[in-house]
Amino acid sequence: MTLLKEYMTTNVESSKTSDDLKTLAEKMEKDDVGFLPVVENDKYAGVVTDRDIVVKGLAKGTGKAEDIMTENVVTGSPDMEVEEAAKLMQDHQIKRLLVVDDDAVNGVVTLGDLGVENADQVAGNIISEVSKGKGNN
C-alpha cells in the first residue's frame, strides 16, 4: 500500500486571507507555482490559483486572498492511498490536491508527483476537463 505522504511536497508556501494580489503573485513567482493554500489560524481556509488572481481579482478589481480564494477545497490526507488520491483528482477534475491533517496543511501533490500508471493520460483527461472551466484548483 503506497500512501500519499510518500509523494507529497511538504515544503509548501502558503498565504494569509489578508494577503493582497501582489503578495500572492510574488509568492507564486518566487516558488514557481500556480497554487497557494490560504491559511488562517494555522488551518487551511482555501486555495488561490494564478487564474484566480487574474479572473477573480484583477478583472473584478478585488484585492485580497479572502475575496478570490476557493473555500470548498477537495483535499486528501497523508495516509490516503495514492490510487485513491488520483481517482479523487480525476473525479473532481483538479490538477493539484491539497494534503491536510486536522485542517492543517501538510503538503500538496500533483498527478505527476504520484507517478501513477497512466498518469499522463489521467492528467490529460483532467486538464481537458479543467480547461472547460469546471474545476478551479
mmCIF file of all heavy atoms in Angstrom, residues 3-10 12 35 37 44 47 73-80 85 89 96-110 113-114:
data_model
loop_
_atom_site.group_PDB
_atom_site.id
_atom_site.type_symbol
_atom_site.label_atom_id
_atom_site.label_comp_id
_atom_site.label_asym_id
_atom_site.label_seq_id
_atom_site.Cartn_x
_atom_site.Cartn_y
_atom_site.Cartn_z
ATOM 1 N N LEU A 3 1.234 5.256 0.210
ATOM 2 C CA LEU A 3 0.482 6.357 0.809
ATOM 3 C C LEU A 3 0.884 7.706 0.225
ATOM 4 O O LEU A 3 2.021 7.906 -0.200
ATOM 5 C CB LEU A 3 0.678 6.362 2.321
ATOM 6 C CG LEU A 3 0.276 5.079 3.043
ATOM 7 C CD1 LEU A 3 0.554 5.204 4.532
ATOM 8 C CD2 LEU A 3 -1.194 4.757 2.793
ATOM 9 N N LEU A 4 -0.043 8.631 0.251
ATOM 10 C CA LEU A 4 0.156 9.968 -0.289
ATOM 11 C C LEU A 4 1.335 10.678 0.359
ATOM 12 O O LEU A 4 2.074 11.393 -0.319
ATOM 13 C CB LEU A 4 -1.133 10.773 -0.096
ATOM 14 C CG LEU A 4 -1.400 11.920 -1.038
ATOM 15 C CD1 LEU A 4 -1.327 11.495 -2.482
ATOM 16 C CD2 LEU A 4 -2.761 12.516 -0.742
ATOM 17 N N LYS A 5 1.557 10.478 1.644
ATOM 18 C CA LYS A 5 2.643 11.167 2.343
ATOM 19 C C LYS A 5 4.012 10.828 1.776
ATOM 20 O O LYS A 5 4.962 11.586 1.963
ATOM 21 C CB LYS A 5 2.595 10.894 3.840
ATOM 22 C CG LYS A 5 2.816 9.463 4.256
ATOM 23 C CD LYS A 5 2.661 9.332 5.765
ATOM 24 C CE LYS A 5 2.607 7.887 6.205
ATOM 25 N NZ LYS A 5 2.282 7.792 7.625
ATOM 26 N N GLU A 6 4.116 9.732 1.030
ATOM 27 C CA GLU A 6 5.386 9.352 0.416
ATOM 28 C C GLU A 6 5.664 10.161 -0.849
ATOM 29 O O GLU A 6 6.796 10.165 -1.334
ATOM 30 C CB GLU A 6 5.373 7.859 0.106
ATOM 31 C CG GLU A 6 5.237 6.981 1.334
ATOM 32 C CD GLU A 6 5.032 5.523 0.992
ATOM 33 O OE1 GLU A 6 5.664 5.028 0.035
ATOM 34 O OE2 GLU A 6 4.219 4.867 1.680
ATOM 35 N N TYR A 7 4.665 10.823 -1.397
ATOM 36 C CA TYR A 7 4.797 11.534 -2.675
ATOM 37 C C TYR A 7 4.540 13.033 -2.594
ATOM 38 O O TYR A 7 4.897 13.766 -3.507
ATOM 39 C CB TYR A 7 3.827 10.924 -3.701
ATOM 40 C CG TYR A 7 4.242 9.549 -4.132
ATOM 41 C CD1 TYR A 7 3.808 8.438 -3.430
ATOM 42 C CD2 TYR A 7 5.081 9.370 -5.217
ATOM 43 C CE1 TYR A 7 4.197 7.167 -3.811
ATOM 44 C CE2 TYR A 7 5.482 8.105 -5.606
ATOM 45 C CZ TYR A 7 5.042 7.004 -4.889
ATOM 46 O OH TYR A 7 5.429 5.762 -5.276
ATOM 47 N N MET A 8 3.922 13.483 -1.534
ATOM 48 C CA MET A 8 3.527 14.901 -1.472
ATOM 49 C C MET A 8 4.736 15.805 -1.247
ATOM 50 O O MET A 8 5.741 15.406 -0.657
ATOM 51 C CB MET A 8 2.491 15.119 -0.371
ATOM 52 C CG MET A 8 3.012 14.938 1.031
ATOM 53 S SD MET A 8 1.659 15.097 2.221
ATOM 54 C CE MET A 8 2.579 15.111 3.744
ATOM 55 N N THR A 9 4.602 17.010 -1.731
ATOM 56 C CA THR A 9 5.585 18.053 -1.464
ATOM 57 C C THR A 9 5.201 18.686 -0.138
ATOM 58 O O THR A 9 4.066 19.135 0.036
ATOM 59 C CB THR A 9 5.563 19.119 -2.583
ATOM 60 O OG1 THR A 9 5.878 18.479 -3.816
ATOM 61 C CG2 THR A 9 6.538 20.238 -2.297
ATOM 62 N N THR A 10 6.136 18.695 0.799
ATOM 63 C CA THR A 10 5.806 19.195 2.138
ATOM 64 C C THR A 10 6.234 20.640 2.361
ATOM 65 O O THR A 10 5.706 21.313 3.227
ATOM 66 C CB THR A 10 6.451 18.314 3.228
ATOM 67 O OG1 THR A 10 7.861 18.256 3.001
ATOM 68 C CG2 THR A 10 5.868 16.916 3.203
ATOM 69 N N VAL A 12 5.572 23.693 1.374
ATOM 70 C CA VAL A 12 4.568 24.424 0.605
ATOM 71 C C VAL A 12 4.414 25.837 1.147
ATOM 72 O O VAL A 12 4.126 26.028 2.326
ATOM 73 C CB VAL A 12 3.201 23.692 0.673
ATOM 74 C CG1 VAL A 12 2.139 24.463 -0.082
ATOM 75 C CG2 VAL A 12 3.341 22.277 0.142
ATOM 76 N N PHE A 35 -0.369 27.890 -7.481
ATOM 77 C CA PHE A 35 -1.365 27.452 -6.498
ATOM 78 C C PHE A 35 -0.816 27.719 -5.100
ATOM 79 O O PHE A 35 0.329 27.364 -4.809
ATOM 80 C CB PHE A 35 -1.540 25.945 -6.722
ATOM 81 C CG PHE A 35 -2.313 25.183 -5.693
ATOM 82 C CD1 PHE A 35 -3.665 24.954 -5.867
ATOM 83 C CD2 PHE A 35 -1.690 24.629 -4.590
ATOM 84 C CE1 PHE A 35 -4.375 24.184 -4.954
ATOM 85 C CE2 PHE A 35 -2.388 23.863 -3.674
ATOM 86 C CZ PHE A 35 -3.736 23.646 -3.869
ATOM 87 N N PRO A 37 -2.058 27.476 -0.915
ATOM 88 C CA PRO A 37 -3.055 27.288 0.127
ATOM 89 C C PRO A 37 -3.212 28.590 0.908
ATOM 90 O O PRO A 37 -2.232 29.328 1.093
ATOM 91 C CB PRO A 37 -2.450 26.216 1.030
ATOM 92 C CG PRO A 37 -1.318 25.620 0.271
ATOM 93 C CD PRO A 37 -0.876 26.652 -0.704
ATOM 94 N N TYR A 44 -6.237 25.483 7.114
ATOM 95 C CA TYR A 44 -6.455 25.938 5.744
ATOM 96 C C TYR A 44 -7.856 26.534 5.619
ATOM 97 O O TYR A 44 -8.815 26.046 6.205
ATOM 98 C CB TYR A 44 -6.213 24.808 4.736
ATOM 99 C CG TYR A 44 -7.387 23.900 4.496
ATOM 100 C CD1 TYR A 44 -8.267 24.155 3.456
ATOM 101 C CD2 TYR A 44 -7.618 22.794 5.294
ATOM 102 C CE1 TYR A 44 -9.355 23.332 3.226
ATOM 103 C CE2 TYR A 44 -8.706 21.962 5.073
ATOM 104 C CZ TYR A 44 -9.572 22.241 4.041
ATOM 105 O OH TYR A 44 -10.652 21.433 3.821
ATOM 106 N N VAL A 47 -7.846 27.891 -1.204
ATOM 107 C CA VAL A 47 -6.696 27.962 -2.098
ATOM 108 C C VAL A 47 -6.889 29.095 -3.090
ATOM 109 O O VAL A 47 -8.017 29.483 -3.398
ATOM 110 C CB VAL A 47 -6.445 26.637 -2.864
ATOM 111 C CG1 VAL A 47 -6.128 25.497 -1.919
ATOM 112 C CG2 VAL A 47 -7.601 26.290 -3.771
ATOM 113 N N VAL A 73 -12.565 23.223 -0.764
ATOM 114 C CA VAL A 73 -11.458 22.596 -1.477
ATOM 115 C C VAL A 73 -11.492 21.083 -1.284
ATOM 116 O O VAL A 73 -11.682 20.599 -0.160
ATOM 117 C CB VAL A 73 -10.121 23.156 -0.950
ATOM 118 C CG1 VAL A 73 -8.943 22.527 -1.661
ATOM 119 C CG2 VAL A 73 -10.085 24.666 -1.100
ATOM 120 N N VAL A 74 -11.289 20.371 -2.366
ATOM 121 C CA VAL A 74 -11.143 18.917 -2.295
ATOM 122 C C VAL A 74 -9.753 18.657 -1.722
ATOM 123 O O VAL A 74 -8.764 19.194 -2.219
ATOM 124 C CB VAL A 74 -11.279 18.281 -3.691
ATOM 125 C CG1 VAL A 74 -11.012 16.784 -3.626
ATOM 126 C CG2 VAL A 74 -12.651 18.572 -4.274
ATOM 127 N N THR A 75 -9.680 17.854 -0.670
ATOM 128 C CA THR A 75 -8.403 17.584 -0.013
ATOM 129 C C THR A 75 -8.176 16.089 0.148
ATOM 130 O O THR A 75 -9.104 15.290 0.059
ATOM 131 C CB THR A 75 -8.341 18.232 1.390
ATOM 132 O OG1 THR A 75 -9.343 17.638 2.226
ATOM 133 C CG2 THR A 75 -8.531 19.737 1.319
ATOM 134 N N GLY A 76 -6.927 15.760 0.397
ATOM 135 C CA GLY A 76 -6.550 14.391 0.720
ATOM 136 C C GLY A 76 -5.885 14.388 2.081
ATOM 137 O O GLY A 76 -5.585 15.449 2.638
ATOM 138 N N SER A 77 -5.626 13.186 2.590
ATOM 139 C CA SER A 77 -4.923 13.070 3.862
ATOM 140 C C SER A 77 -3.590 12.368 3.623
ATOM 141 O O SER A 77 -3.450 11.617 2.651
ATOM 142 C CB SER A 77 -5.758 12.284 4.875
ATOM 143 O OG SER A 77 -5.828 10.926 4.483
ATOM 144 N N PRO A 78 -2.612 12.590 4.488
ATOM 145 C CA PRO A 78 -1.307 11.961 4.295
ATOM 146 C C PRO A 78 -1.365 10.440 4.224
ATOM 147 O O PRO A 78 -0.550 9.822 3.537
ATOM 148 C CB PRO A 78 -0.512 12.411 5.527
ATOM 149 C CG PRO A 78 -1.210 13.611 6.035
ATOM 150 C CD PRO A 78 -2.651 13.444 5.671
ATOM 151 N N ASP A 79 -2.339 9.828 4.880
ATOM 152 C CA ASP A 79 -2.447 8.373 4.910
ATOM 153 C C ASP A 79 -3.391 7.808 3.839
ATOM 154 O O ASP A 79 -3.712 6.618 3.862
ATOM 155 C CB ASP A 79 -2.892 7.911 6.301
ATOM 156 C CG ASP A 79 -1.832 8.216 7.353
ATOM 157 O OD1 ASP A 79 -0.630 8.085 7.044
ATOM 158 O OD2 ASP A 79 -2.202 8.601 8.477
ATOM 159 N N MET A 80 -3.796 8.646 2.898
ATOM 160 C CA MET A 80 -4.647 8.201 1.789
ATOM 161 C C MET A 80 -3.790 7.410 0.797
ATOM 162 O O MET A 80 -2.639 7.745 0.564
ATOM 163 C CB MET A 80 -5.242 9.443 1.098
ATOM 164 C CG MET A 80 -6.073 9.158 -0.128
ATOM 165 S SD MET A 80 -6.669 10.705 -0.881
ATOM 166 C CE MET A 80 -8.113 10.990 0.124
ATOM 167 N N ALA A 85 -6.178 8.908 -4.199
ATOM 168 C CA ALA A 85 -5.940 10.329 -4.444
ATOM 169 C C ALA A 85 -6.035 10.649 -5.932
ATOM 170 O O ALA A 85 -6.653 11.647 -6.325
ATOM 171 C CB ALA A 85 -4.575 10.739 -3.900
ATOM 172 N N MET A 89 -8.734 13.150 -7.681
ATOM 173 C CA MET A 89 -8.357 14.267 -8.544
ATOM 174 C C MET A 89 -9.053 14.179 -9.896
ATOM 175 O O MET A 89 -9.519 15.191 -10.426
ATOM 176 C CB MET A 89 -6.839 14.301 -8.705
ATOM 177 C CG MET A 89 -6.126 14.624 -7.400
ATOM 178 S SD MET A 89 -4.348 14.338 -7.463
ATOM 179 C CE MET A 89 -3.838 15.764 -8.427
ATOM 180 N N ARG A 96 -4.197 19.696 -8.772
ATOM 181 C CA ARG A 96 -3.422 19.653 -7.532
ATOM 182 C C ARG A 96 -4.339 19.259 -6.386
ATOM 183 O O ARG A 96 -5.496 19.668 -6.348
ATOM 184 C CB ARG A 96 -2.829 21.025 -7.230
ATOM 185 C CG ARG A 96 -2.034 21.617 -8.377
ATOM 186 C CD ARG A 96 -1.864 23.122 -8.121
ATOM 187 N NE ARG A 96 -1.335 23.819 -9.254
ATOM 188 C CZ ARG A 96 -2.043 24.549 -10.096
ATOM 189 N NH1 ARG A 96 -3.351 24.689 -9.933
ATOM 190 N NH2 ARG A 96 -1.471 25.169 -11.097
ATOM 191 N N LEU A 97 -3.784 18.506 -5.464
ATOM 192 C CA LEU A 97 -4.563 18.071 -4.310
ATOM 193 C C LEU A 97 -3.873 18.558 -3.049
ATOM 194 O O LEU A 97 -2.702 18.239 -2.808
ATOM 195 C CB LEU A 97 -4.679 16.545 -4.286
ATOM 196 C CG LEU A 97 -5.543 15.931 -3.187
ATOM 197 C CD1 LEU A 97 -7.015 16.328 -3.377
ATOM 198 C CD2 LEU A 97 -5.401 14.416 -3.190
ATOM 199 N N LEU A 98 -4.586 19.352 -2.279
ATOM 200 C CA LEU A 98 -4.080 19.840 -1.003
ATOM 201 C C LEU A 98 -4.156 18.691 -0.002
ATOM 202 O O LEU A 98 -5.179 18.031 0.117
ATOM 203 C CB LEU A 98 -4.929 21.027 -0.535
ATOM 204 C CG LEU A 98 -4.428 21.829 0.650
ATOM 205 C CD1 LEU A 98 -3.074 22.460 0.352
ATOM 206 C CD2 LEU A 98 -5.433 22.908 1.007
ATOM 207 N N VAL A 99 -3.050 18.442 0.706
ATOM 208 C CA VAL A 99 -2.996 17.354 1.680
ATOM 209 C C VAL A 99 -3.058 17.976 3.069
ATOM 210 O O VAL A 99 -2.218 18.807 3.426
ATOM 211 C CB VAL A 99 -1.710 16.517 1.521
ATOM 212 C CG1 VAL A 99 -1.697 15.361 2.514
ATOM 213 C CG2 VAL A 99 -1.585 15.997 0.087
ATOM 214 N N VAL A 100 -4.090 17.610 3.828
ATOM 215 C CA VAL A 100 -4.316 18.209 5.144
ATOM 216 C C VAL A 100 -4.491 17.135 6.215
ATOM 217 O O VAL A 100 -4.884 16.009 5.929
ATOM 218 C CB VAL A 100 -5.537 19.155 5.162
ATOM 219 C CG1 VAL A 100 -5.380 20.286 4.170
ATOM 220 C CG2 VAL A 100 -6.816 18.395 4.875
ATOM 221 N N ASP A 101 -4.186 17.523 7.438
ATOM 222 C CA ASP A 101 -4.389 16.664 8.595
ATOM 223 C C ASP A 101 -4.920 17.565 9.708
ATOM 224 O O ASP A 101 -4.252 18.543 10.071
ATOM 225 C CB ASP A 101 -3.072 15.997 8.997
ATOM 226 C CG ASP A 101 -3.250 14.904 10.029
ATOM 227 O OD1 ASP A 101 -4.395 14.428 10.206
ATOM 228 O OD2 ASP A 101 -2.251 14.527 10.665
ATOM 229 N N ASP A 102 -6.103 17.282 10.225
ATOM 230 C CA ASP A 102 -6.754 18.146 11.222
ATOM 231 C C ASP A 102 -6.833 19.590 10.745
ATOM 232 O O ASP A 102 -6.543 20.527 11.493
ATOM 233 C CB ASP A 102 -6.024 18.075 12.563
ATOM 234 C CG ASP A 102 -6.286 16.779 13.298
ATOM 235 O OD1 ASP A 102 -7.371 16.193 13.104
ATOM 236 O OD2 ASP A 102 -5.402 16.358 14.075
ATOM 237 N N ASP A 103 -7.182 19.775 9.481
ATOM 238 C CA ASP A 103 -7.338 21.086 8.841
ATOM 239 C C ASP A 103 -6.038 21.876 8.711
ATOM 240 O O ASP A 103 -6.051 23.040 8.321
ATOM 241 C CB ASP A 103 -8.393 21.940 9.554
ATOM 242 C CG ASP A 103 -9.797 21.387 9.395
ATOM 243 O OD1 ASP A 103 -10.068 20.718 8.370
ATOM 244 O OD2 ASP A 103 -10.620 21.602 10.293
ATOM 245 N N ALA A 104 -4.896 21.273 9.037
ATOM 246 C CA ALA A 104 -3.601 21.927 8.855
ATOM 247 C C ALA A 104 -2.985 21.425 7.551
ATOM 248 O O ALA A 104 -3.053 20.226 7.234
ATOM 249 C CB ALA A 104 -2.670 21.621 10.025
ATOM 250 N N VAL A 105 -2.384 22.337 6.792
ATOM 251 C CA VAL A 105 -1.757 21.968 5.528
ATOM 252 C C VAL A 105 -0.500 21.145 5.802
ATOM 253 O O VAL A 105 0.397 21.580 6.516
ATOM 254 C CB VAL A 105 -1.397 23.228 4.702
ATOM 255 C CG1 VAL A 105 -0.636 22.844 3.440
ATOM 256 C CG2 VAL A 105 -2.650 24.018 4.359
ATOM 257 N N ASN A 106 -0.456 19.956 5.222
ATOM 258 C CA ASN A 106 0.722 19.090 5.317
ATOM 259 C C ASN A 106 1.525 19.106 4.034
ATOM 260 O O ASN A 106 2.717 18.825 4.054
ATOM 261 C CB ASN A 106 0.317 17.647 5.593
ATOM 262 C CG ASN A 106 0.002 17.365 7.038
ATOM 263 O OD1 ASN A 106 -0.199 16.235 7.394
ATOM 264 N ND2 ASN A 106 -0.042 18.372 7.893
ATOM 265 N N GLY A 107 0.866 19.387 2.920
ATOM 266 C CA GLY A 107 1.562 19.384 1.644
ATOM 267 C C GLY A 107 0.593 19.508 0.487
ATOM 268 O O GLY A 107 -0.585 19.789 0.655
ATOM 269 N N VAL A 108 1.142 19.266 -0.689
ATOM 270 C CA VAL A 108 0.356 19.287 -1.918
ATOM 271 C C VAL A 108 0.930 18.223 -2.840
ATOM 272 O O VAL A 108 2.117 17.897 -2.766
ATOM 273 C CB VAL A 108 0.379 20.696 -2.579
ATOM 274 C CG1 VAL A 108 1.747 21.057 -3.089
ATOM 275 C CG2 VAL A 108 -0.663 20.807 -3.674
ATOM 276 N N VAL A 109 0.071 17.678 -3.685
ATOM 277 C CA VAL A 109 0.511 16.652 -4.618
ATOM 278 C C VAL A 109 -0.159 16.870 -5.970
ATOM 279 O O VAL A 109 -1.294 17.351 -6.032
ATOM 280 C CB VAL A 109 0.220 15.234 -4.055
ATOM 281 C CG1 VAL A 109 -1.250 14.941 -4.031
ATOM 282 C CG2 VAL A 109 0.984 14.172 -4.786
ATOM 283 N N THR A 110 0.583 16.567 -7.026
ATOM 284 C CA THR A 110 0.035 16.596 -8.378
ATOM 285 C C THR A 110 0.040 15.164 -8.915
ATOM 286 O O THR A 110 0.717 14.292 -8.371
ATOM 287 C CB THR A 110 0.877 17.478 -9.325
ATOM 288 O OG1 THR A 110 2.154 16.860 -9.512
ATOM 289 C CG2 THR A 110 1.034 18.895 -8.768
ATOM 290 N N ASP A 113 3.443 13.992 -9.508
ATOM 291 C CA ASP A 113 4.142 13.596 -8.278
ATOM 292 C C ASP A 113 3.855 12.145 -7.924
ATOM 293 O O ASP A 113 4.709 11.447 -7.381
ATOM 294 C CB ASP A 113 3.701 14.454 -7.077
ATOM 295 C CG ASP A 113 4.108 15.909 -7.178
ATOM 296 O OD1 ASP A 113 5.099 16.219 -7.874
ATOM 297 O OD2 ASP A 113 3.422 16.731 -6.547
ATOM 298 N N LEU A 114 2.633 11.715 -8.200
ATOM 299 C CA LEU A 114 2.205 10.391 -7.780
ATOM 300 C C LEU A 114 2.857 9.265 -8.575
ATOM 301 O O LEU A 114 2.997 8.154 -8.069
ATOM 302 C CB LEU A 114 0.679 10.264 -7.882
ATOM 303 C CG LEU A 114 -0.122 11.224 -7.007
ATOM 304 C CD1 LEU A 114 -1.611 10.995 -7.220
ATOM 305 C CD2 LEU A 114 0.241 11.074 -5.549
#
